[in-house]
Amino acid sequence: MDCLAGTSSSVILPELSFRLAASRFSLKFQAPRFKPPEARKHAFFCRAAGYGKAGSGSDFSSKAGKLFAQEAIGAEYGEGFETFRMDGPLKVDVDYLNERLQECFLQRVRHAMKPDEAFGLVFSWDNVVVETRSLKLDAWTKLASEVGEEIPSTDHVHRTIANSGADHVLRKVLFWDREENCMENLKSRLSQLYYENLLKLDTPIEGLREWLDALYTAGTPCAVVSCLDRKIMFEVLERMKINKYFQAVVTEEDGMESIAHRFLSAAVKLDRKPSKCVVFEDDSRGITAAHNCTMMAVALIGAHPAYELGQADLTVASYNELSVINLRRLFAHKGSNFMDLQKQVEDKLPPKRKLITDTIF
């Protein structure tokens, strides 16, 4: 019952809360009699972690599922997301953005003189801007220490923990058998530990600052996408001193439901059509989402080996291998109307002369 008391009161239905209030004394009296030793041990953890207090841990309950879960790829058939305007909902899909975000005449003239400004660069957060794999493993290790468990030291388990959802890891990898409400407390505590590690960061991934500085000099707009809170995102970017390089940020507050939706939202904020954007990713799922949005994809080897990133348009081991000219080479095989629908021009032949009077005598 201590674990149940540690959860947020907003989760309990009104009828259930009424019954609990009516028989509070009897439940409190009978609970210690039927509680097994393991449940008492974990209940002590819940109280020690601060979940027994009202509101503690509840701020991280909704974030655990997004931080430690695989998001949907999205835009499998070019679909986008819906946004609301004063005149009603507006459907924003890939084709719509590629058409509406076309360059105007003055922009085409400017981009002809400065071609590097015509592109938009979208950076994923995990293992592209910040090396988060070690942060997640450290959060799992601290959580296991708090509950008296151990995490296997094999590379396969570590890779699965860093790239899988919290529910899958708890039930299928670590086999931590807990009650449902205590599972929610564990996921909340996991997110809290991850945020604590994240707020200590002061260095981005190797070579990123130099690459961003080269893009900043060339005038190429950049965006960063993540499911983090906007406040935490800006705090970490400011601490790493790279916040000035990003003209757009897509966070949890934007309400995007898939990876592709985040990329499309970044393209809108950068005022670049998706077919002119380049996504920097470290996961094959993100590469697929970029291609679904008609974007180019640059894969960064690290969290995943190179053979899993073969579908990317360009694969590099670090940012030190990149130069601004690589962006132009990515689009070198594309014309201004590459893969666009074209009208076929039919050559009209002159009409044949018709003989009306027979001239043969």
Side-chain angles (χ1 to χ4, degrees):
M1 294 305 300
D2 294 327
C3 289
L4 180 61
T7 57
S8 176
S9 59
S10 60
V11 182
I12 304 175
L13 297 176
E15 296 180 1
L16 180 60
S17 61
F18 177 78
R19 291 197 299 268
L20 290 177
S23 58
R24 182 174 55 183
F25 178 79
S26 60
L27 290 174
K28 184 178 180 180
F29 177 76
Q30 295 175 3
R33 183 182 303 175
F34 300 102
K35 188 178 297 184
E38 182 65 21
R40 289 198 299 269
K41 174 183 176 182
H42 190 64
F44 174 76
F45 158 72
C46 291
R47 292 194 301 268
Y51 293 111
K53 300 179 182 180
S56 60
S58 60
D59 295 338
F60 299 92
S61 58
S62 60
K63 304 171 186 176
K66 294 184 178 181
L67 290 174
F68 294 87
Q70 288 185 343
E71 294 182 283
I73 295 177
E76 285 83 357
Y77 304 100
E79 71 271 10
F81 55 91
E82 288 187 356
T83 182
F84 293 91
R85 296 290 187 265
M86 295 297 295
D87 54 350
L90 175 64
K91 180 70 175 181
V92 179
D93 57 14
V94 178
D95 294 335
Y96 176 86
L97 292 179
N98 279 326
E99 180 181 357
R100 294 298 298 269
L101 294 178
Q102 289 283 355
E103 301 168 338
C104 64
F105 174 74
L106 294 179
Q107 286 178 327
R108 288 197 297 268
V109 173
R110 179 177 179 84
H111 293 166
M113 295 185 296
K114 297 183 178 181
D116 298 322
E117 296 184 5
F119 311 115
L121 270 59
V122 182
F123 292 82
S124 292
W125 179 259
D126 292 333
N127 304 311
V128 175
V129 176
V130 175
E131 204 281 309
T132 58
R133 184 174 180 268
S134 60
L135 299 182
K136 292 182 178 180
L137 289 176
D138 183 71
W140 277 108
T141 304
K142 291 180 180 178
L143 180 65
S145 176
E146 291 181 0
V147 299
E149 300 283 353
E150 292 184 0
I151 294 181
S153 58
T154 59
D155 294 337
H156 173 71
V157 174
H158 285 182
R159 183 179 177 183
T160 304
I161 289 176
N163 300 320
S164 301
D167 287 323
H168 177 76
V169 173
L170 289 173
R171 302 181 188 276
K172 303 298 182 180
V173 180
L174 301 179
F175 302 102
W176 291 0
D177 188 12
R178 300 290 193 276
E179 298 177 0
E180 186 64 28
N181 53 347
C182 289
M183 284 292 191
E184 295 298 325
N185 291 338
L186 289 174
K187 290 188 291 184
S188 299
R189 178 58 178 165
L190 178 65
S191 297
Q192 187 177 6
L193 292 172
Y194 174 72
Y195 275 123
E196 290 175 359
N197 292 338
L198 194 63
L199 291 175
K200 297 177 183 178
L201 282 177
D202 56 0
T203 304
I205 203 166
E206 183 181 359
L208 176 62
R209 182 178 284 109
E210 292 76 12
W211 172 236
L212 290 176
D213 189 66
L215 295 172
Y216 186 78
T217 304
T220 307
C222 300
V224 57
V225 300
S226 175
C227 58
L228 295 174
D229 287 344
R230 187 177 301 272
K231 179 180 178 182
I232 295 179
M233 171 81 74
F234 277 107
E235 287 182 4
V236 178
L237 291 177
E238 186 176 0
R239 183 179 291 105
M240 294 188 297
K241 298 180 181 179
I242 58 175
N243 54 324
K244 71 173 184 177
Y245 298 119
F246 295 104
Q247 287 73 39
V249 173
V250 179
T251 58
E252 182 187 7
E253 287 77 4
D254 291 279
M256 300 294 105
E257 299 179 355
S258 65
I259 305 175
H261 291 177
R262 297 185 188 278
F263 294 161
L264 292 177
S265 178
V268 173
K269 293 186 177 184
L270 291 177
D271 194 22
R272 298 292 186 273
K273 60 181 182 178
S275 59
K276 279 288 188 179
C277 291
V278 181
V279 174
F280 287 80
E281 262 286 352
D282 76 307
D283 192 358
S284 59
R285 294 170 55 84
I287 297 172
T288 302
H291 288 163
N292 288 346
C293 298
T294 67
M295 298 179 177
M296 290 292 184
V298 176
L300 195 65
I301 302 173
H304 297 273
Y307 63 83
E308 293 185 3
L309 307 173
Q311 58 180 326
D313 301 287
L314 178 64
T315 305
V316 295
S318 67
Y319 288 108
N320 297 326
E321 301 179 8
L322 292 173
S323 62
V324 180
I325 195 64
N326 292 129
L327 300 179
R328 304 184 195 177
R329 292 174 179 172
L330 286 175
F331 298 89
H333 68 287
K334 286 190 174 184
S336 58
N337 297 320
F338 181 77
M339 290 296 290
D340 290 345
L341 296 177
Q342 299 288 339
K343 293 182 179 180
Q344 184 176 0
V345 179
E346 297 182 357
D347 296 332
K348 294 184 179 181
L349 299 176
K352 295 182 179 180
R353 296 178 58 184
K354 295 181 180 180
L355 295 177
I356 300 176
T357 305
D358 190 1
T359 58
I360 300 177
F361 297 96

